[in-house]
């Protein structure tokens, strides 16, 4: 078969973007309340390692890292948006909320909502 632009057809359903493929980069969403700088650094390292494992099609390792992030740090990774956040920061109260529960209750609510 031929293409009108003279270019070769790409293989598979992956788009050819003209450059070398690289692992996806992830960014932190939310302030990370309750985490130390060392914990944020460790989470960032694990998220990057997970991205590289997915890039190299090592999905078993990527799943292990995802479970570690979730179980150890209560972190959720959003692959579509390229972000990670604490489960209890996924849903925040509106600033004009009339009733604001104490922080401990907000964290519990956020965790429950994040489990959905």
């Amino acid at each position: 078969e031929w293409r009108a632009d003279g270019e070769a057809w790409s293989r598979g359903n992956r788009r050819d973007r003209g450059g070398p493929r690289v692992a996806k980069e992830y960014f932190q969403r939310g302030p990370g309340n309750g985490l130390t700088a060392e914990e944020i650094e460790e989470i960032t390292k694990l998220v990057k390692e997970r991205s590289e494992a997915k890039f190299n099609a090592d999905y078993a390792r990527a799943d292990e890292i995802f479970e570690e992030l979730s179980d150890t740090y209560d972190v959720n990774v959003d692959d579509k948006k390229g972000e990670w956040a604490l489960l209890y920061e996924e849903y925040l109260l509106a600033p004009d909320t009339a009733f604001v529960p104490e922080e401990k209750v907000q964290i519990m609510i956020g965790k429950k909502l994040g489990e959905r």
Side-chain angles (χ1 to χ4, degrees), residues 28-37 40 84-86 88-92 103:
Q28 179 182 352
R29 182 180 67 235
N33 289 333
L35 294 176
T36 65
I40 291 175
W84 67 266
L86 295 173
Y88 54 84
E89 289 181 348
E90 288 283 319
Y91 303 93
L92 299 175
E103 185 176 354

Side-chain angles (χ1 to χ4, degrees), residues 8 17 56 61 76 81-82 88:
R17 296 200 171 104
N56 293 319
R61 178 66 184 137
N76 183 45
K81 293 181 181 179
Y88 54 84

Side-chain angles (χ1 to χ4, degrees), residues 5-69:
D5 61 6
E7 296 292 322
W9 289 97
S10 63
R11 294 183 174 242
N13 60 5
R14 184 177 57 88
R15 289 180 144 165
D16 182 15
R17 296 200 171 104
R21 290 184 58 220
V22 295
K24 187 170 188 171
E25 189 173 352
Y26 289 79
F27 300 94
Q28 179 182 352
R29 182 180 67 235
N33 289 333
L35 294 176
T36 65
E38 292 81 20
E39 288 173 322
I40 291 175
E41 187 177 322
E42 178 65 18
I43 291 168
T44 303
K45 184 183 117 216
L46 287 169
V47 169
K48 183 176 182 178
E49 183 180 340
R50 178 180 176 271
S51 177
E52 290 168 359
K54 286 183 69 172
F55 176 76
N56 293 319
D58 187 357
Y59 300 112
R61 178 66 184 137
D63 289 345
E64 288 173 10
I65 295 169
F66 183 84
E67 291 298 321
E68 181 180 351
L69 287 165

Side-chain angles (χ1 to χ4, degrees), residues 72-112:
T72 306
Y73 299 104
D74 289 329
V75 167
N76 183 45
V77 180
D78 186 333
D79 290 318
K80 189 171 185 177
K81 293 181 181 179
E83 299 174 335
W84 67 266
L86 295 173
L87 281 173
Y88 54 84
E89 289 181 348
E90 288 283 319
Y91 303 93
L92 299 175
L93 292 172
D96 59 347
T97 301
F99 171 75
V100 179
E102 58 187 74
E103 185 176 354
K104 178 174 73 174
V105 174
Q106 289 181 42
I107 290 172
M108 289 171 49
I109 292 169
K111 283 183 181 180
K112 286 294 180 189

